[in-house]
């Protein structure tokens, strides 16, 4: 077997082994899972997630997922907890302990301390009969028959199972809470996905200059306005209402058709049915309109009055496209 085929064979074997283990998790779900979800939903406190080693890394990821989907969560390293960090846990907090074996020395020290403080505890473990499994109020069984590691030692399949169990918790919580795309945007304002959910046309167009000319504006006035406002377009306005649009392309086409251009006015050049969008529309709607009509600018309106221009470059700059 050559090197390439050998590598691909190992990769496929790893993926297949882990996928089978993950599929088996659904068979291990019990009422404890539903009870754990309800416990978190009804809690007045936060979710404290703890673990050690690779389980601690998974705990961090689950914390991030919960926080971003509306469930306040904090990571607490199991080793640090027994050396002062137990103060993180408040009276109404729910604690989730993650451990494959459920019998590590740190867990055996930590669990009684949590119990003594009367905090409810959820275990994510691959051994429901372990010390952790016996002491927890609810057990989420993340058992895997075999690690993907050929020596069955390095945490691979087991940590994947822990992560999936955490994702299942987070998704149940967000769906039951009715966590919406608008809620998601509040927690992700800086990312492109969040911007798609909250950024409005006015947020972009208000940063641009506002090119406009009247119906009787001369050709020179039109060219100067388009050049100075640097958006490749100007609106043609009458009583603050949009009556037309002139683009760079309109000017080029006019030059190819007319020998005498000195007499031309804005009304002679303009397009009379410009695409427009309300200032309170979502930026992603502007993007879809531009894609649909193959254009790079939209005129913006506020209550039927001209309010500015949104440009394709604005959307690119903000990561909407």
């Amino acid at each position: 077997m050559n090197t390439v085929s050998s590598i691909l064979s190992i990769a496929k074997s790893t993926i297949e082994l882990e996928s089978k283990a993950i599929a088996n998790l659904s068979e291990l779900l019990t009422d404890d899972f539903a009870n754990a979800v309800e416990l978190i939903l009804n809690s007045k406190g936060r979710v404290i997630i703890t673990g050690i080693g690779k389980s601690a890394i998974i705990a961090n990821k689950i914390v991030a997922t919960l926080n971003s989907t509306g469930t306040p969560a904090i990571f607490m390293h199991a080793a640090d907890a027994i050396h002062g960090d137990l103060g993180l846990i408040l009276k109404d907090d729910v604690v989730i302990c993650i451990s494959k074996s459920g019998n590590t020395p740190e867990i055996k020290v930590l669990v009684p301390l949590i119990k003594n403080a009367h905090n409810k505890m959820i275990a994510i473990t691959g051994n429901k009969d372990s010390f952790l499994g016996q002491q927890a109020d609810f057990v989420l069984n993340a058992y895997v028959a075999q690690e993907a590691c050929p020596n069955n030692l390095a945490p691979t399949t087991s940590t994947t199972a822990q992560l999936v169990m955490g994702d299942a918790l987070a998704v149940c919580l967000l769906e039951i809470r009715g966590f919406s795309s608008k809620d998601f945007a509040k927690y992700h304002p800086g990312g492109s996905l969040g911007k798609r959910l909250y950024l409005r046309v006015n947020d972009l167009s208000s940063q641009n200059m506002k090119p406009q000319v009247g119906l009787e504006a001369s050709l020179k006035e039109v060219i100067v306005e388009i050049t100075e406002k640097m958006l490749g377009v100007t609106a043609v306005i009458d009583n603050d209402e949009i009556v037309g649009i002139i683009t760079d392309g309109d000017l080029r086409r006019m030059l190819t058709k007319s020998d005498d251009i000195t007499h031309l006015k804005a009304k002679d050049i303009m397009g009379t049915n410009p695409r427009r969008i309300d200032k309170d529309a979502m930026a992603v709607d502007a993007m879809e309109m531009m894609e649909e009509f193959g254009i790079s600018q939209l005129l913006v309106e506020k209550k039927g009055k001209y309010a500015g221009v949104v440009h394709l470059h604005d959307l690119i700059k903000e990561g909407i496209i």
Side-chain angles (χ1 to χ4, degrees), residues 9-22 157:
S9 177
I10 295 168
K12 289 177 182 178
S13 176
T14 300
I15 293 169
E16 289 171 1
L17 191 154
E18 293 204 3
S19 65
K20 288 177 182 178
I22 297 311
T157 313

Side-chain angles (χ1 to χ4, degrees), residues 228-245:
E228 288 184 348
K229 301 301 169 61
M230 299 183 293
L231 291 168
V233 66
T234 184
V236 182
I237 306 301
D238 187 28
N239 293 324
D240 291 330
E241 294 184 359
I242 299 168
V243 293
I245 187 172

Side-chain angles (χ1 to χ4, degrees), residues 258-276:
S258 303
D259 294 326
D260 181 10
I261 61 175
T262 57
H263 66 286
L264 293 176
K265 306 287 187 181
K267 63 183 180 182
D268 303 317
I269 309 167
M270 70 182 190
T272 56
N273 188 30
R275 303 295 174 184
R276 59 192 80 187

Side-chain angles (χ1 to χ4, degrees), residues 240-258:
D240 291 330
E241 294 184 359
I242 299 168
V243 293
I245 187 172
I246 303 174
T247 67
D248 283 337
D250 292 327
L251 293 176
R252 288 192 295 272
R253 284 186 288 273
M254 174 270 299
L255 289 172
T256 62
K257 294 178 180 178
S258 303

Side-chain angles (χ1 to χ4, degrees), residues 199-215:
L199 202 65
R200 297 188 181 275
V201 167
N202 187 62
D203 298 323
L204 303 176
S205 62
S206 62
Q207 304 301 312
N208 293 331
M209 289 187 278
K210 190 179 173 183
Q212 63 183 82
V213 296
L215 285 164

